[in-house]
Amino acid sequence: MTSQFKTLLASAAIGLALAACTGGTSDTSADTPKAENINLPSGITVVERVGPARGDEVVIPYTKYKLDNGLTVVLHEDKSDPLVHVDVTYHVGSGREEVGRSGFAHFFEHMMFQGSENVADEEHFKIITEAGGTLNGTTNSDRTNYFETVPSNQLEKMLWLEADRMGFFLDSVTQEKFEVQRETVKNERGQRVDNRPYGLLFERVGEAMYPEGHPYSWSTIGYLEDLDRANLNDLKKFFLEWYGPNNAVLTIGGDLDTEQTLEWVKTYFGTIPAGPEQADPVYEEITLDEDRYISLEDNVQLPLLYMAWPTVHANHPDEAPLDVLANIIGQGQTSIMYKNVQKPGLTVQTSSGHGCREIGCTFTVFTLANPAKVQQLGDLETEIRGAFDEFEERGVMDDDLTRVKSSIVSGLIYGLESVQGKVSQLAAYETYRDNPNGIGDDIARYEGVTKADVMRVYNQYIKDNSAVIMSIVPKGAGAMVAKEDTWERYERTIPEDMSSSDDFSWTRPEDPEGLDRSQVPPAGDNNPQVKAPDTYTFATGNGIDVLGAQNTEVPTTTINVRIKAGQSHESLDKLGLASLTAGLLNEATTERTGEELSNELSKLGSSVSFSSGDTFTTMSVRSLTKNIDATMAIAMEKLLKPAFAEADFDRDKANQLQGILANKKEASVTASNLFNKMMYGTDNPTAFANTGTEETVANITLEDVKAFYATHFSPSIASVIAVSDLDEAAMKKVLAPLSDWTGGEVPTTSMAAFPELDTGTIYFVDKPDAAQSEIRIGKRALPYDATGEYFRADIMNYPLGGAFNSRINLNLREDKGYTYGARSFFSGNEKAGWYRASAGVRADATSASIVEFVNEIESYHADGITAEELAFTKSSRGQSDARAYETPRQKLGFLSRMATYDLEPDFVDEQADILEAMTKAEIDALAAKHLDLDEMIMVVVGDKATVYDEIAELGYKMVEIDADGNPI
């Protein structure tokens, strides 16, 4: 499957959820519109209509249309929630760029949010956010898409927005916007590539895998020198080449009226002229004459070994068996790699995959080595190659095929949970196959994979074939690489004349008389009526409280068993104990090995996992409802019969220690962890990361884990939240096994006194050679309160730092180009809370960013909210409820808040009333009370040699500390 489909296939099985609708039917006849009882606007042609599923087929019902200008439109009606999702996918990504002009498609994704002829600068986000919606855009090597989810009465406005930037973009592009977004893209590259451990992995592998000039030989974000070389005309010409309606798919799903939607589509998109006709990209077989070893020293803790073999291309007949091979080799506890390298502790993380793009796929093995057991990555490579040899001898087992096929079917049904998932699936299939109804073909080809197919593709593409093998090792540890480099990174050949001619012409589309695009379409008359999910409560036989909600849209069940024992119950010398205990509950039981349990869950298409946080340890159960009883049996076995085996403990403890060390290399993690420690002090366990510290985890023994489990895992402090298509009576039967759980009272905990903050201080951590600095500014604030001052303060902060178009983000990102994103927010739990402003910024803009943060917070503290901001906040926050309860996960979050804070379901109605009644005077008073910079501290993580002196000149008290918070 293509990488797009491997993540999106899970969104497509609407036919399975609708018991009365089975078997996809296609109708391309001329009377299709009549069958839909709609009047089809002139200039729009029906291409295909696919109805609900028949039998066991899996289908997303849709109708596909074509406009005279070549725009493809796919509509999917789903009346389950009062919202719509709009997706515009352009068949252009980094793979359509020219040598020396990399990063254009991604750069263009940013530019398309900067306004168009009738949408002012920085208004795109504001319009959608104010409408209660959410939006984004993404770019990969093969396509760019823009999407938004909004209340259903806002659909016309979304179509107006998307059409304006498709047809009326170029005259609004200015040199100033161009320069700001160029800086924003550079910041994104710094944050995601240059300043992130292992961030250069895929760029370097792509260079070594593909011939110079191949469209996959550069990364989607591109090279900085190419962005610097580009000018405004280059960008405009790229737009005219690729962003016409005939190279786009407009997909709309949700609570829509088909006839009205098509009228709007015709009105806003119909006059946009087609662009040049584009041929599909051409696949070229990639072969390597020998293994290509490459390496890099990086600011990392864990050595990485990555192996990549070129295979086929997306939708090739061999793609499916190669995916199955990847699952057998290195996915989950049932895999050979897990057994051979991860379980023995040679690696902290191991996986294999088969990522596919339009004109190229790669079979990969990814490992993070445990440096305590692996001193040379060549030894790890030997173990990995031995695992392939073992597979060759072992062959493919029946369970291998069953696991993979079950995961596909279950993933399809889980993907029914959002309209966005279904729309994205339809858009992807149409973009890559000219057929939105590709899902049945995909299921068929995976169901048809045989043992012989898997062995054949192994022999053809992997065995005795050459690969790119990359080692990334800590700085100064070059001797650890798997092998000395055998392939040298080339000096890129840039065409001699990369100058762009100044002549540029574009003709504005001519609209029919009466259409005034400068007028923002109003919201529809029918304001969506949204109410919180209906809930029920009962208690199990041993007194565990259950809070549930029924969700009949999908045949799935999600259950969280919440045990009120987490990091807050640890002693200061055993920090990380709750996390380590939860991890061991994911391992073997006294009845079965971890591999056997994983195998059974995979065959059911289910998952059972344990995790811990500050307050709770949670057992999360997810299953197709038809398999929930079998899944619950495994869950109860894990909960009540953990093996706590010495080998599992040793491995998990070693991995946790390595994870702690690795996190210190992440500037963003270090900054946030240190901020928390300053807020809550070293006398409170929850001031530390929940994985603990090197010293405390080293202190933990297996007996400590057993004692923590025996003391704290009791039904007396447990509760359950559940979302299922089953009703209350059926859920009582599903949860009946919990009644067998016994346990006594559990000791309570309390927080120690918080330290006095040394306000006005900047705590600085040196991260040598960092391309970016991480900034945290804040203070202790309020514990969570759903309808009290905490809730009101959160509303107060929304226009300052809570929305994309907040003052802080518009200043630092959109106006200055200092950062990829800046935010501020309140966070709290039952006992404590804090306020924090944060961003990762360009190193050379560190001190300037601090100044801008301070200016924005001080201004809001002194003068408060504007009338326009107050109206925006009420509109945005008030209408967003249409998106609040769509998926089981969202419903589970709603139940979690109710259970944690003892809320009645109507608390959301009270919140709505509070929002509506808030005045400027009240918000101004909250800003004056909670945003006093004299009460705040700052944490900055960056390159001391580059930024320290400039920060010191700002006049704050400076304290240099290490990554653990110790003064230097």
Side-chain angles (χ1 to χ4, degrees):
M1 242 185 269
T2 67
S3 57
Q4 295 93 341
F5 294 145
K6 286 166 189 171
T7 54
L8 289 173
L9 189 59
S11 67
I14 189 166
L16 292 181
L18 305 176
C21 304
T22 43
T25 58
S26 176
D27 186 356
T28 57
S29 62
D31 65 353
T32 300
K34 184 177 180 181
E36 294 180 309
N37 296 315
I38 66 168
N39 294 313
L40 199 63
S42 62
I44 299 181
T45 305
V46 175
V47 177
E48 180 183 39
R49 178 174 180 268
V50 171
R54 289 179 179 173
D56 294 330
E57 291 182 329
V58 180
V59 172
I60 306 174
Y62 68 88
T63 306
K64 174 180 170 180
Y65 305 89
K66 203 84 166 181
L67 270 64
D68 287 349
N69 60 5
L71 178 66
T72 299
V73 180
V74 180
L75 301 184
H76 162 70
E77 288 194 41
D78 180 349
K79 304 291 187 180
S80 57
D81 291 283
L83 54 83
V84 290
H85 184 79
V86 178
D87 179 292
V88 180
T89 296
Y90 295 93
H91 198 174
V92 56
S94 59
R96 301 296 188 104
E97 297 161 351
E98 299 174 6
V99 174
R101 300 197 189 279
S102 67
F104 266 43
H106 175 255
F107 187 16
F108 217 91
E109 176 206 318
H110 283 253
M111 289 299 300
M112 289 276 270
F113 286 106
Q114 301 312 303
S116 45
E117 181 176 312
N118 301 292
V119 182
D121 186 22
E122 300 175 353
E123 284 292 303
H124 196 104
F125 271 91
K126 182 181 178 182
I127 289 170
I128 296 177
T129 308
E130 191 168 25
T134 183
L135 70 157
N136 212 334
T138 67
T139 310
N140 62 29
S141 56
D142 302 318
R143 64 99 185 100
T144 304
N145 72 334
Y146 304 89
F147 50 90
E148 47 270 339
T149 304
V150 294
S152 53
N153 66 333
Q154 301 286 347
L155 176 56
E156 182 185 6
K157 196 178 297 181
M158 300 306 106
L159 297 177
W160 167 78
L161 277 169
E162 290 293 355
D164 211 61
R165 62 179 170 186
M166 179 186 285
F168 301 85
F169 172 76
L170 288 184
D171 277 349
S172 70
V173 179
T174 65
Q175 189 68 36
E176 181 182 4
K177 291 181 183 180
F178 178 83
E179 297 297 346
V180 169
Q181 290 310 309
R182 175 152 52 189
E183 291 305 310
T184 301
V185 172
K186 289 181 179 180
N187 285 320
E188 183 177 359
R189 180 181 168 100
Q191 183 173 315
R192 295 186 173 183
V193 180
D194 301 321
N195 205 43
R196 175 176 287 183
Y198 317 108
L200 288 166
L201 169 65
F202 296 112
E203 182 172 277
R204 296 293 172 85
V205 170
E207 292 169 345
M209 174 71 69
Y210 298 100
E212 183 182 5
H214 188 283
Y216 292 168
S217 65
W218 54 80
S219 65
T220 299
I221 203 165
Y223 298 101
L224 292 180
E225 58 266 28
D226 288 357
L227 290 175
D228 286 336
R229 189 183 299 113
N231 64 36
L232 195 57
N233 276 353
D234 294 333
L235 191 78
K236 290 181 177 181
K237 290 177 179 179
F238 191 79
F239 175 84
L240 289 176
E241 181 75 15
W242 297 105
Y243 291 82
N246 52 317
N247 199 42
V249 178
L250 169 63
T251 310
I252 310 167
D255 185 10
L256 57 88
D257 177 280
T258 297
E259 187 169 341
Q260 178 63 82
T261 299
L262 290 173
E263 287 286 355
W264 287 330
V265 169
K266 171 65 184 305
T267 297
Y268 294 115
F269 289 90
T271 60
I272 300 173
E277 289 297 323
Q278 302 293 350
D280 288 337
V282 178
Y283 167 69
E284 298 177 18
E285 183 178 357
I286 302 298
T287 57
L288 304 176
D289 53 358
E290 61 180 359
D291 287 330
R292 294 182 175 181
Y293 287 86
I294 57 176
S295 63
L296 177 70
E297 292 186 24
D298 197 2
N299 188 22
V300 299
Q301 166 65 24
L302 304 176
L304 175 147
L305 183 67
Y306 187 85
M307 306 175 72
W309 289 262
T311 58
V312 289
H313 60 81
N315 304 316
H316 187 282
D318 287 343
E319 181 186 6
L322 281 161
D323 285 349
V324 176
L325 174 64
N327 183 282
I328 298 169
I329 293 294
Q331 294 179 15
Q333 288 180 283
T334 56
S335 69
I336 297 174
M337 291 291 180
Y338 178 84
K339 177 179 72 70
N340 287 18
V341 299
Q342 188 165 340
K343 188 171 184 179
L346 299 177
T347 64
V348 173
Q349 184 179 341
T350 306
S351 65
S352 66
H354 184 235
C356 275
R357 295 180 281 179
E358 218 170 354
I359 55 172
C361 303
T362 52
F363 188 100
T364 59
V365 174
F366 170 94
T367 63
L368 289 176
N370 180 354
K373 290 197 173 185
V374 175
Q375 282 72 52
Q376 217 282 328
L377 289 176
D379 297 336
L380 182 57
E381 181 189 352
T382 300
E383 294 291 336
I384 290 171
R385 293 189 183 277
F388 280 106
D389 293 338
E390 180 179 329
F391 164 74
E392 190 174 352
E393 295 176 8
R394 160 194 182 277
V396 182
M397 299 180 178
D398 290 336
D399 273 3
D400 294 331
L401 297 182
T402 302
R403 278 197 314 272
V404 177
K405 294 173 182 180
S406 294
S407 68
I408 290 172
V409 174
S410 61
L412 286 168
I413 299 175
Y414 294 141
L416 291 170
E417 295 170 353
S418 73
V419 170
Q420 177 176 351
K422 289 176 278 188
V423 166
S424 299
Q425 182 71 39
L426 292 169
Y429 277 122
E430 173 59 28
T431 299
Y432 297 120
R433 300 188 190 177
D434 297 322
N435 175 21
N437 192 29
I439 196 166
D441 294 339
D442 268 343
I443 291 175
R445 64 175 177 153
Y446 281 87
E447 289 288 355
V449 172
T450 65
K451 295 179 182 180
D453 289 332
V454 179
M455 294 306 301
R456 175 181 55 78
V457 296
Y458 166 74
N459 287 314
Q460 183 173 348
Y461 301 105
I462 309 300
K463 183 182 179 182
D464 298 328
N465 283 359
S466 298
V468 174
I469 303 159
M470 183 165 193
S471 304
I472 299 181
V473 298
K475 289 185 177 181
M480 288 192 71
V481 302
K483 184 180 288 189
E484 288 189 14
D485 291 5
T486 62
W487 184 84
E488 185 176 352
R489 192 177 182 218
Y490 50 78
E491 187 75 26
R492 296 173 63 220
T493 304
I494 306 299
E496 289 185 9
D497 184 13
M498 291 296 292
S499 60
S500 177
S501 62
D502 292 333
D503 59 331
F504 178 81
S505 62
W506 170 71
T507 303
R508 183 186 181 281
E510 293 187 9
D511 281 330
E513 187 175 345
L515 175 59
D516 184 359
R517 291 183 185 265
S518 68
Q519 297 300 308
V520 181
D525 295 332
N526 298 321
N527 203 38
Q529 298 299 308
V530 182
K531 75 182 194 70
D534 293 327
T535 62
Y536 57 81
T537 61
F538 64 85
T540 61
N542 53 351
I544 301 174
D545 290 329
V546 177
L547 176 62
Q550 189 173 12
N551 180 59
T552 57
E553 296 174 31
V554 284
T556 64
T557 298
T558 304
I559 299 166
N560 281 357
V561 178
R562 301 160 9 116
I563 304 158
K564 200 166 186 178
Q567 189 176 11
S568 58
H569 293 76
E570 298 170 349
S571 61
L572 291 170
D573 63 334
K574 304 285 186 180
L575 296 172
L577 178 56
S579 177
L580 193 51
T581 303
L584 281 170
L585 289 166
N586 289 316
E587 303 286 356
T589 67
T590 56
E591 309 296 314
R592 286 182 280 187
T593 66
E595 293 89 331
E596 290 170 336
L597 292 164
S598 178
N599 188 47
E600 288 305 309
L601 286 169
S602 295
K603 289 194 293 183
L604 292 169
S606 303
S607 64
V608 177
S609 62
F610 290 81
S611 61
S612 70
D614 286 355
T615 306
F616 292 95
T617 295
T618 303
M619 179 175 75
S620 301
V621 180
R622 193 183 195 195
S623 175
L624 304 181
T625 298
K626 67 179 182 178
N627 295 331
I628 186 57
D629 290 334
T631 303
M632 275 301 295
I634 295 173
M636 294 307 300
E637 182 180 331
K638 283 176 167 282
L639 175 64
L640 301 183
K641 299 179 179 180
F644 291 136
E646 190 82 43
D648 290 340
F649 170 77
D650 290 342
R651 180 182 63 254
D652 287 6
K653 178 178 174 178
N655 288 350
Q656 191 156 315
L657 283 167
Q658 292 299 331
I660 292 167
L661 294 171
N663 279 337
K664 291 182 180 180
K665 302 293 186 179
E666 292 272 8
S668 61
V669 175
T670 299
S672 295
N673 285 347
L674 290 175
F675 179 85
N676 291 349
K677 189 177 289 188
M678 301 298 176
M679 291 298 106
Y680 296 137
T682 55
D683 291 335
N684 284 298
T686 51
F688 298 83
N690 69 355
T691 51
T693 71
E694 298 164 68
E695 294 77 12
T696 61
V697 173
N699 290 337
I700 298 172
T701 67
L702 182 56
E703 292 307 311
D704 292 327
V705 170
K706 292 178 179 178
F708 188 85
Y709 172 81
T711 302
H712 295 96
F713 279 62
S714 169
S716 66
I717 56 168
S719 60
V720 175
I721 54 176
V723 177
S724 173
D725 61 319
L726 299 175
D727 60 17
E728 178 182 353
M731 281 304 297
K732 286 181 178 179
K733 295 179 181 178
V734 168
L735 295 174
L738 282 169
S739 299
D740 297 333
W741 184 13
T742 60
E745 294 300 313
V746 176
T748 58
T749 64
S750 60
M751 296 193 79
F754 298 143
E756 183 177 347
L757 294 180
D758 190 2
T759 56
T761 299
I762 295 179
Y763 295 92
F764 185 86
V765 181
D766 184 22
K767 189 176 189 296
D769 302 321
Q772 286 194 315
S773 300
E774 289 289 338
I775 299 172
R776 305 290 184 269
I777 304 173
K779 52 173 277 189
R780 282 194 298 274
L782 300 161
Y784 180 87
D785 184 339
T787 55
E789 190 168 349
Y790 174 92
F791 175 69
R792 289 171 166 83
D794 184 56
I795 293 171
M796 175 270 291
N797 174 69
Y798 193 68
L800 173 64
F804 179 89
N805 53 303
S806 67
R807 294 186 186 187
I808 288 174
N809 195 55
L810 288 184
N811 183 339
L812 273 78
R813 171 179 161 139
E814 298 299 293
D815 295 341
K816 304 293 193 307
Y818 292 162
T819 180
Y820 182 55
R823 296 288 190 273
S824 66
F825 55 93
F826 286 87
S827 178
N829 56 28
E830 309 100 303
K831 298 178 180 179
W834 40 256
Y835 173 79
R836 190 175 83 194
S838 62
V841 304
R842 273 192 354 242
D844 64 355
T846 305
S847 61
S849 297
I850 293 173
V851 170
E852 296 305 326
F853 264 122
V854 168
N855 288 344
E856 294 294 353
I857 296 171
E858 280 185 337
S859 174
Y860 199 70
H861 169 68
D863 301 325
I865 196 170
T866 67
E868 183 183 4
E869 288 172 334
L870 179 58
F872 164 78
T873 298
K874 289 186 175 185
S875 178
S876 176
R877 296 283 293 255
Q879 295 187 89
S880 64
D881 278 353
R883 300 182 287 106
Y885 314 112
E886 182 191 7
T887 67
R889 182 176 182 178
Q890 289 172 306
K891 291 180 173 72
L892 211 64
F894 171 73
L895 297 181
S896 177
R897 286 193 299 278
M898 286 181 59
T900 301
Y901 301 106
D902 194 24
L903 301 171
E904 295 298 323
D906 63 357
F907 82 89
V908 293
D909 298 325
E910 188 176 346
Q911 286 183 335
D913 292 340
I914 291 170
L915 174 66
E916 184 59 31
M918 288 194 78
T919 63
K920 172 176 168 55
E922 182 180 2
I923 289 180
D924 289 355
L926 288 165
K929 179 179 180 180
H930 293 290
L931 299 180
D932 187 350
L933 274 161
D934 290 337
E935 300 174 353
M936 299 187 191
I937 64 165
M938 302 186 199
V939 176
V940 179
V941 180
D943 178 21
K944 182 179 179 180
T946 303
V947 307
Y948 188 89
D949 290 343
E950 283 192 11
I951 297 174
E953 290 176 3
L954 297 177
Y956 296 94
K957 177 182 176 181
M958 299 286 290
V959 176
E960 189 174 357
I961 58 177
D962 63 20
D964 293 314
N966 302 309
I968 295 177

